[in-house]
Amino acid sequence: MKAIIRLKAGKEFSTMKIQNIEIPQTQSGELKVKMISSRINPVDMDLMKGFPSLKYKNPQIGGIDGAGIILEIGKGVTNFAIGDKVLFYRMFSDIGTWAEEITIPANYCAKIPNNIDTKEAGAIALPLLTAYDSLQQLNAKKGEKILIHGIGGGVGFQALQIAKQMGLYVIGTGSQSDKHDLEKAGIDQFIDYKTQDFSQVLKTKEVDYIFDTLGDDILKKSIALQPKKIVSVKYVDTSQMHKAGVNLPGIMKWLMKMMMGKFTKLAKKNSVQLIGQVTGANGKFLQQAIDLIQNSFVSRKYNYVDFSTIEKDGLSKKSIGKIIQF
Protein backbone atom coordinates (compact mmCIF):
# COMPACT_ATOMS: atom_id res chain seq x y z
CA MET A 1 0.00 0.00 0.00
CA LYS A 2 1.03 3.63 -0.43
CA ALA A 3 1.91 5.89 2.49
CA ILE A 4 3.43 9.34 3.01
CA ILE A 5 6.66 8.66 4.86
CA ARG A 6 9.10 10.82 6.80
CA LEU A 7 12.55 9.59 5.82
CA LYS A 8 14.21 11.65 8.56
CA ALA A 9 13.58 14.84 10.53
CA GLY A 10 13.30 17.80 8.17
CA LYS A 11 11.97 21.32 7.75
CA GLU A 12 8.48 21.97 6.32
CA PHE A 13 7.74 18.41 5.12
CA SER A 14 10.98 18.45 3.10
CA THR A 15 11.73 14.78 3.79
CA MET A 16 8.21 13.46 3.18
CA LYS A 17 7.88 10.99 0.30
CA ILE A 18 5.22 8.58 -0.93
CA GLN A 19 6.42 4.99 -0.69
CA ASN A 20 4.99 1.50 -0.85
CA ILE A 21 5.00 -0.25 2.53
CA GLU A 22 3.49 -3.39 4.01
CA ILE A 23 -0.11 -3.32 5.25
CA PRO A 24 -0.03 -3.27 9.08
CA GLN A 25 -1.32 -6.15 11.21
CA THR A 26 -4.19 -5.42 13.59
CA GLN A 27 -3.25 -5.86 17.25
CA SER A 28 -5.44 -6.35 20.31
CA GLY A 29 -7.48 -3.24 21.09
CA GLU A 30 -6.98 -1.81 17.61
CA LEU A 31 -9.00 -1.16 14.48
CA LYS A 32 -7.78 -1.52 10.93
CA VAL A 33 -9.13 1.40 8.90
CA LYS A 34 -9.31 2.15 5.20
CA MET A 35 -8.40 5.84 5.14
CA ILE A 36 -10.77 8.28 3.42
CA SER A 37 -9.30 11.68 4.36
CA SER A 38 -6.86 13.44 6.69
CA ARG A 39 -6.20 17.12 7.32
CA ILE A 40 -2.69 18.55 6.92
CA ASN A 41 -2.36 20.42 10.21
CA PRO A 42 0.28 22.87 11.48
CA VAL A 43 1.17 20.35 14.19
CA ASP A 44 1.91 17.73 11.51
CA MET A 45 4.68 19.94 10.15
CA ASP A 46 5.98 20.67 13.65
CA LEU A 47 6.20 16.97 14.43
CA MET A 48 7.95 16.14 11.17
CA LYS A 49 10.66 18.71 12.01
CA GLY A 50 11.35 16.77 15.17
CA PHE A 51 9.90 17.28 18.64
CA PRO A 52 11.80 17.14 21.96
CA SER A 53 11.59 13.72 23.66
CA LEU A 54 9.76 12.06 20.73
CA LYS A 55 11.63 9.41 18.78
CA TYR A 56 9.84 8.21 15.68
CA LYS A 57 10.49 5.18 13.55
CA ASN A 58 12.58 5.46 10.42
CA PRO A 59 10.71 5.55 8.13
CA GLN A 60 7.67 7.06 9.90
CA ILE A 61 4.14 7.51 8.48
CA GLY A 62 2.98 11.13 8.89
CA GLY A 63 -0.41 12.46 9.95
CA ILE A 64 -2.21 12.80 13.28
CA ASP A 65 -5.94 12.76 12.44
CA GLY A 66 -8.45 11.63 9.84
CA ALA A 67 -11.44 9.49 9.01
CA GLY A 68 -12.11 6.17 7.34
CA ILE A 69 -14.02 2.89 7.29
CA ILE A 70 -13.30 -0.04 9.61
CA LEU A 71 -11.93 -3.09 7.79
CA GLU A 72 -10.94 -5.26 10.74
CA ILE A 73 -11.41 -5.35 14.51
CA GLY A 74 -8.76 -6.47 17.01
CA LYS A 75 -9.36 -8.61 20.06
CA GLY A 76 -11.08 -6.93 22.97
CA VAL A 77 -12.86 -4.27 20.88
CA THR A 78 -16.63 -4.45 21.42
CA ASN A 79 -18.10 -1.03 20.58
CA PHE A 80 -17.26 -0.92 16.86
CA ALA A 81 -18.22 -3.07 13.87
CA ILE A 82 -16.68 -3.75 10.46
CA GLY A 83 -18.03 -1.12 8.06
CA ASP A 84 -18.44 1.59 10.70
CA LYS A 85 -17.28 5.03 9.60
CA VAL A 86 -14.95 6.60 12.17
CA LEU A 87 -12.90 9.73 12.80
CA PHE A 88 -9.89 9.96 15.07
CA TYR A 89 -7.01 11.98 16.48
CA ARG A 90 -3.77 10.32 17.55
CA MET A 91 -1.11 11.15 20.15
CA PHE A 92 2.08 13.10 19.32
CA SER A 93 3.90 9.92 20.33
CA ASP A 94 1.77 7.67 18.11
CA ILE A 95 1.29 9.43 14.78
CA GLY A 96 0.52 7.79 11.45
CA THR A 97 -2.63 8.39 9.39
CA TRP A 98 -1.26 9.24 5.94
CA ALA A 99 -1.54 5.77 4.43
CA GLU A 100 -4.15 3.87 2.47
CA GLU A 101 -4.74 1.58 5.46
CA ILE A 102 -3.78 2.11 9.09
CA THR A 103 -4.19 0.45 12.46
CA ILE A 104 -5.22 2.63 15.39
CA PRO A 105 -6.27 2.08 19.03
CA ALA A 106 -10.06 1.86 19.18
CA ASN A 107 -10.19 4.28 22.13
CA TYR A 108 -8.88 7.06 19.85
CA CYS A 109 -11.91 6.70 17.58
CA ALA A 110 -15.49 7.96 17.35
CA LYS A 111 -18.35 6.94 15.06
CA ILE A 112 -19.39 9.42 12.38
CA PRO A 113 -23.12 10.31 12.34
CA ASN A 114 -24.95 9.40 9.13
CA ASN A 115 -25.61 13.03 8.19
CA ILE A 116 -21.91 13.97 8.15
CA ASP A 117 -19.84 13.00 5.12
CA THR A 118 -16.86 10.79 5.98
CA LYS A 119 -14.50 12.82 3.80
CA GLU A 120 -15.45 16.02 5.63
CA ALA A 121 -15.20 14.28 9.01
CA GLY A 122 -11.52 13.70 8.26
CA ALA A 123 -11.16 17.44 7.71
CA ILE A 124 -12.49 18.36 11.15
CA ALA A 125 -11.19 15.66 13.53
CA LEU A 126 -8.33 17.66 15.09
CA PRO A 127 -10.17 21.02 15.06
CA LEU A 128 -13.32 19.49 16.56
CA LEU A 129 -11.54 17.69 19.40
CA THR A 130 -9.36 20.73 20.17
CA ALA A 131 -12.39 23.03 20.28
CA TYR A 132 -14.51 20.69 22.39
CA ASP A 133 -11.78 19.92 24.92
CA SER A 134 -10.99 23.64 25.21
CA LEU A 135 -14.57 24.80 25.76
CA GLN A 136 -15.31 22.02 28.24
CA GLN A 137 -12.64 23.46 30.52
CA LEU A 138 -14.54 26.75 30.84
CA ASN A 139 -17.57 25.24 32.60
CA ALA A 140 -19.64 27.96 30.93
CA LYS A 141 -23.33 28.46 31.59
CA LYS A 142 -26.07 29.01 29.03
CA GLY A 143 -26.43 32.67 28.10
CA GLU A 144 -22.85 33.65 28.95
CA LYS A 145 -20.66 35.39 26.36
CA ILE A 146 -17.57 33.98 24.69
CA LEU A 147 -15.12 35.65 22.30
CA ILE A 148 -13.50 33.25 19.82
CA HIS A 149 -10.41 34.44 17.96
CA GLY A 150 -9.79 33.16 14.43
CA ILE A 151 -13.39 31.99 14.29
CA GLY A 152 -13.23 31.32 10.55
CA GLY A 153 -10.28 28.93 10.93
CA GLY A 154 -10.46 25.19 11.39
CA VAL A 155 -10.51 25.16 15.20
CA GLY A 156 -12.40 28.44 15.56
CA PHE A 157 -15.26 27.36 13.32
CA GLN A 158 -15.80 24.11 15.23
CA ALA A 159 -15.63 26.10 18.48
CA LEU A 160 -18.45 28.29 17.15
CA GLN A 161 -20.64 25.26 16.44
CA ILE A 162 -19.93 23.77 19.87
CA ALA A 163 -20.44 27.07 21.72
CA LYS A 164 -23.84 27.58 20.07
CA GLN A 165 -24.93 24.11 21.17
CA MET A 166 -23.80 25.02 24.70
CA GLY A 167 -26.19 27.97 24.58
CA LEU A 168 -23.48 30.65 24.59
CA TYR A 169 -23.59 34.10 23.01
CA VAL A 170 -20.73 33.98 20.52
CA ILE A 171 -18.58 36.89 19.37
CA GLY A 172 -15.83 36.14 16.89
CA THR A 173 -12.90 37.81 15.18
CA GLY A 174 -12.43 36.74 11.60
CA SER A 175 -12.32 37.58 7.91
CA GLN A 176 -15.16 38.82 5.71
CA SER A 177 -14.54 35.84 3.40
CA ASP A 178 -15.79 33.51 6.16
CA LYS A 179 -18.75 35.63 7.24
CA HIS A 180 -21.37 33.69 5.24
CA ASP A 181 -20.36 30.38 6.85
CA LEU A 182 -20.19 32.02 10.27
CA GLU A 183 -23.72 33.38 9.93
CA LYS A 184 -24.98 29.95 8.88
CA ALA A 185 -23.43 28.55 12.06
CA GLY A 186 -25.17 31.18 14.18
CA ILE A 187 -22.51 33.71 15.17
CA ASP A 188 -24.06 36.50 17.26
CA GLN A 189 -21.49 39.27 16.70
CA PHE A 190 -18.79 39.39 14.04
CA ILE A 191 -15.63 41.52 14.34
CA ASP A 192 -13.63 41.98 11.14
CA TYR A 193 -10.03 41.70 12.31
CA LYS A 194 -8.76 43.65 9.28
CA THR A 195 -10.79 46.77 9.98
CA GLN A 196 -11.64 46.51 13.70
CA ASP A 197 -9.61 46.11 16.88
CA PHE A 198 -11.57 43.77 19.13
CA SER A 199 -10.01 45.35 22.22
CA GLN A 200 -11.59 48.67 21.21
CA VAL A 201 -14.94 47.19 20.13
CA LEU A 202 -15.48 45.29 23.38
CA LYS A 203 -15.56 46.72 26.88
CA THR A 204 -13.62 45.39 29.85
CA LYS A 205 -15.44 42.38 31.39
CA GLU A 206 -18.03 42.42 28.57
CA VAL A 207 -17.27 38.79 27.73
CA ASP A 208 -17.16 35.97 30.25
CA TYR A 209 -14.72 33.77 28.34
CA ILE A 210 -12.20 33.94 25.51
CA PHE A 211 -10.96 31.12 23.30
CA ASP A 212 -7.60 32.14 21.84
CA THR A 213 -6.13 30.39 18.79
CA LEU A 214 -3.64 33.14 17.85
CA GLY A 215 -1.47 34.04 20.85
CA ASP A 216 1.13 36.85 21.17
CA ASP A 217 -0.41 40.37 21.16
CA ILE A 218 -3.92 38.96 20.66
CA LEU A 219 -3.54 36.99 23.88
CA LYS A 220 -2.21 40.06 25.73
CA LYS A 221 -5.14 42.20 24.57
CA SER A 222 -7.54 39.38 25.48
CA ILE A 223 -6.22 39.23 29.03
CA ALA A 224 -6.65 43.02 29.32
CA LEU A 225 -10.40 42.59 28.65
CA GLN A 226 -10.57 40.74 31.98
CA PRO A 227 -12.86 37.81 31.20
CA LYS A 228 -13.26 35.16 33.89
CA LYS A 229 -11.28 32.58 31.93
CA ILE A 230 -9.19 32.34 28.78
CA VAL A 231 -8.30 29.02 27.18
CA SER A 232 -5.48 29.32 24.65
CA VAL A 233 -3.86 26.84 22.29
CA LYS A 234 -0.87 29.20 22.18
CA TYR A 235 -0.26 29.30 25.93
CA VAL A 236 1.89 26.26 26.66
CA ASP A 237 1.21 24.52 29.96
CA THR A 238 3.94 21.87 30.18
CA SER A 239 2.07 20.07 32.98
CA GLN A 240 -0.56 19.11 30.39
CA MET A 241 1.79 17.76 27.70
CA HIS A 242 1.23 14.18 28.90
CA LYS A 243 -2.23 14.40 27.27
CA ALA A 244 -0.44 14.30 23.91
CA GLY A 245 1.96 11.55 24.97
CA VAL A 246 4.88 13.93 25.55
CA ASN A 247 7.21 13.92 28.56
CA LEU A 248 9.42 16.98 28.21
CA PRO A 249 12.85 17.03 29.85
CA GLY A 250 13.24 19.37 32.83
CA ILE A 251 15.22 22.00 30.94
CA MET A 252 12.52 22.23 28.26
CA LYS A 253 9.81 22.64 30.90
CA TRP A 254 11.80 25.45 32.50
CA LEU A 255 12.38 27.21 29.16
CA MET A 256 8.70 27.01 28.20
CA LYS A 257 7.65 28.32 31.60
CA MET A 258 10.01 31.28 31.14
CA MET A 259 8.63 31.97 27.65
CA MET A 260 5.04 31.89 28.92
CA GLY A 261 5.86 33.98 31.99
CA LYS A 262 4.74 37.31 30.47
CA PHE A 263 1.24 35.91 29.91
CA THR A 264 1.11 34.26 33.32
CA LYS A 265 1.99 37.52 35.09
CA LEU A 266 -0.45 39.56 33.02
CA ALA A 267 -3.27 37.11 33.71
CA LYS A 268 -2.57 37.20 37.44
CA LYS A 269 -2.52 41.03 37.39
CA ASN A 270 -5.94 41.10 35.69
CA SER A 271 -7.46 38.28 37.80
CA VAL A 272 -7.94 36.09 34.73
CA GLN A 273 -7.70 32.31 34.86
CA LEU A 274 -5.45 31.38 31.92
CA ILE A 275 -5.72 27.80 30.70
CA GLY A 276 -3.21 26.25 28.31
CA GLN A 277 -4.85 23.83 25.88
CA VAL A 278 -3.10 20.58 24.96
CA THR A 279 -5.04 18.12 22.81
CA GLY A 280 -4.45 14.39 22.99
CA ALA A 281 -6.23 11.32 21.64
CA ASN A 282 -9.63 10.97 23.31
CA GLY A 283 -12.29 8.98 21.49
CA LYS A 284 -14.86 9.60 24.22
CA PHE A 285 -14.55 13.40 23.91
CA LEU A 286 -14.53 13.18 20.12
CA GLN A 287 -17.76 11.19 20.18
CA GLN A 288 -19.37 13.69 22.55
CA ALA A 289 -18.27 16.56 20.31
CA ILE A 290 -19.57 15.21 17.02
CA ASP A 291 -22.81 14.02 18.62
CA LEU A 292 -23.31 17.51 20.09
CA ILE A 293 -23.11 19.29 16.73
CA GLN A 294 -24.51 16.66 14.37
CA ASN A 295 -28.07 18.00 14.18
CA SER A 296 -26.96 21.56 13.39
CA PHE A 297 -23.72 20.70 11.56
CA VAL A 298 -22.62 23.29 9.01
CA SER A 299 -20.68 21.82 6.11
CA ARG A 300 -17.84 23.83 4.53
CA LYS A 301 -15.82 23.68 1.33
CA TYR A 302 -12.30 22.27 1.61
CA ASN A 303 -9.29 22.11 -0.66
CA TYR A 304 -8.64 18.40 -1.25
CA VAL A 305 -5.41 16.89 -2.59
CA ASP A 306 -4.82 13.28 -3.67
CA PHE A 307 -1.78 11.00 -3.65
CA SER A 308 -1.01 11.55 -7.34
CA THR A 309 -0.75 15.31 -6.80
CA ILE A 310 1.43 14.82 -3.71
CA GLU A 311 3.68 12.46 -5.68
CA LYS A 312 4.10 15.16 -8.33
CA ASP A 313 4.29 18.31 -6.17
CA GLY A 314 5.29 17.03 -2.72
CA LEU A 315 4.20 18.70 0.53
CA SER A 316 5.25 22.08 1.88
CA LYS A 317 4.16 24.72 4.37
CA LYS A 318 1.61 25.84 1.76
CA SER A 319 -0.07 22.42 2.08
CA ILE A 320 -1.30 23.19 5.61
CA GLY A 321 -5.10 23.31 5.72
CA LYS A 322 -5.52 21.04 2.67
CA ILE A 323 -7.23 17.68 3.07
CA ILE A 324 -5.61 14.51 1.77
CA GLN A 325 -8.11 12.15 0.14
CA PHE A 326 -7.03 8.54 -0.23
Side-chain angles (χ1 to χ4, degrees):
M1 69 168 187
K2 288 184 177 181
I4 303 174
I5 296 293
R6 184 188 87 154
L7 304 177
K8 59 181 180 180
K11 187 178 181 181
E12 296 182 5
F13 300 123
S14 61
T15 66
M16 306 295 289
K17 302 290 182 184
I18 291 182
Q19 292 188 343
N20 284 304
I21 63 172
E22 291 186 5
I23 296 174
Q25 298 298 309
T26 309
Q27 304 298 317
S28 177
E30 291 185 336
L31 304 173
K32 180 178 285 185
V33 175
K34 173 181 170 54
M35 286 296 296
I36 299 297
S37 63
S38 176
R39 184 184 183 89
I40 304 173
N41 300 288
V43 71
D44 291 312
M45 189 175 71
D46 292 338
L47 294 173
M48 292 300 91
K49 285 189 295 187
F51 197 89
S53 81
L54 293 181
K55 294 183 179 180
Y56 294 134
K57 304 168 188 173
N58 266 326
Q60 170 66 54
I61 300 173
I64 201 166
D65 71 348
I69 302 170
I70 297 176
L71 298 175
E72 191 173 295
I73 295 174
K75 292 181 180 179
V77 178
T78 59
N79 52 336
F80 292 97
I82 291 173
D84 281 350
K85 297 172 183 179
V86 290
L87 75 163
F88 34 80
Y89 176 80
R90 307 189 76 127
M91 306 285 269
F92 287 6
S93 54
D94 179 32
I95 62 172
T97 58
W98 293 349
E100 292 175 315
E101 293 182 17
I102 67 167
T103 55
I104 185 168
N107 62 1
Y108 291 5
C109 302
K111 295 177 184 178
I112 302 170
N114 291 331
N115 66 309
I116 297 178
D117 180 71
T118 306
K119 189 166 72 169
E120 185 164 0
I124 66 169
L126 180 152
L128 181 63
L129 181 57
T130 301
Y132 183 78
D133 193 4
S134 299
L135 268 58
Q136 286 297 299
Q137 296 185 66
L138 299 176
N139 294 316
K141 297 185 177 76
K142 187 176 181 179
E144 291 186 308
K145 290 186 178 182
I146 185 170
L147 169 63
I148 300 173
H149 288 303
I151 200 166
V155 175
F157 190 73
Q158 299 311 317
L160 165 59
Q161 298 198 75
I162 291 165
K164 291 305 297 182
Q165 291 306 304
M166 292 170 64
L168 301 180
Y169 182 96
V170 181
I171 304 167
T173 63
S175 169
Q176 283 289 341
S177 61
D178 295 312
K179 194 173 180 181
H180 178 68
D181 283 349
L182 297 172
E183 288 175 342
K184 281 175 62 179
I187 190 170
D188 295 289
Q189 182 179 345
F190 174 75
I191 298 174
D192 185 339
Y193 82 95
K194 290 184 178 179
T195 61
Q196 296 173 289
D197 183 340
F198 74 93
S199 65
Q200 301 299 313
V201 174
L202 300 172
K203 299 175 183 177
T204 303
K205 298 186 178 181
E206 183 175 348
V207 296
D208 300 289
Y209 310 103
I210 295 177
F211 181 31
D212 168 51
T213 63
L214 303 173
D216 295 327
D217 287 342
I218 299 298
L219 180 51
K220 289 180 181 178
K221 288 182 177 181
S222 296
I223 294 171
L225 283 178
Q226 298 181 354
K228 290 185 284 190
K229 298 178 185 178
I230 296 175
V231 59
S232 174
V233 299
K234 297 296 186 178
Y235 177 74
V236 180
D237 181 352
T238 57
S239 69
Q240 298 299 311
M241 293 301 292
H242 67 277
K243 289 170 61 177
V246 177
N247 183 20
L248 291 174
I251 186 65
M252 284 299 300
K253 290 181 180 179
W254 181 82
L255 285 171
M256 294 308 300
K257 188 175 182 179
M258 292 299 102
M259 290 172 63
M260 296 296 112
K262 57 187 176 183
F263 302 117
T264 307
K265 291 176 182 176
L266 191 60
K268 186 175 181 181
K269 180 181 176 181
N270 285 275
S271 301
V272 174
Q273 183 180 344
L274 182 55
I275 302 166
Q277 171 59 27
V278 177
T279 302
N282 190 326
K284 180 181 177 181
F285 268 20
L286 195 51
Q287 192 70 65
Q288 290 174 359
I290 201 159
D291 287 348
L292 179 66
I293 67 171
Q294 66 167 307
N295 292 331
S296 59
F297 180 72
V298 177
S299 180
R300 303 185 84 185
K301 291 182 179 179
Y302 293 97
N303 187 356
Y304 292 94
V305 58
D306 57 25
F307 266 21
S308 61
T309 302
I310 294 172
E311 281 184 302
K312 179 168 64 77
D313 300 333
L315 295 176
S316 70
K317 189 175 183 178
K318 293 180 179 179
S319 303
I320 291 174
K322 293 181 179 179
I323 314 302
I324 301 170
Q325 59 179 4
F326 298 85

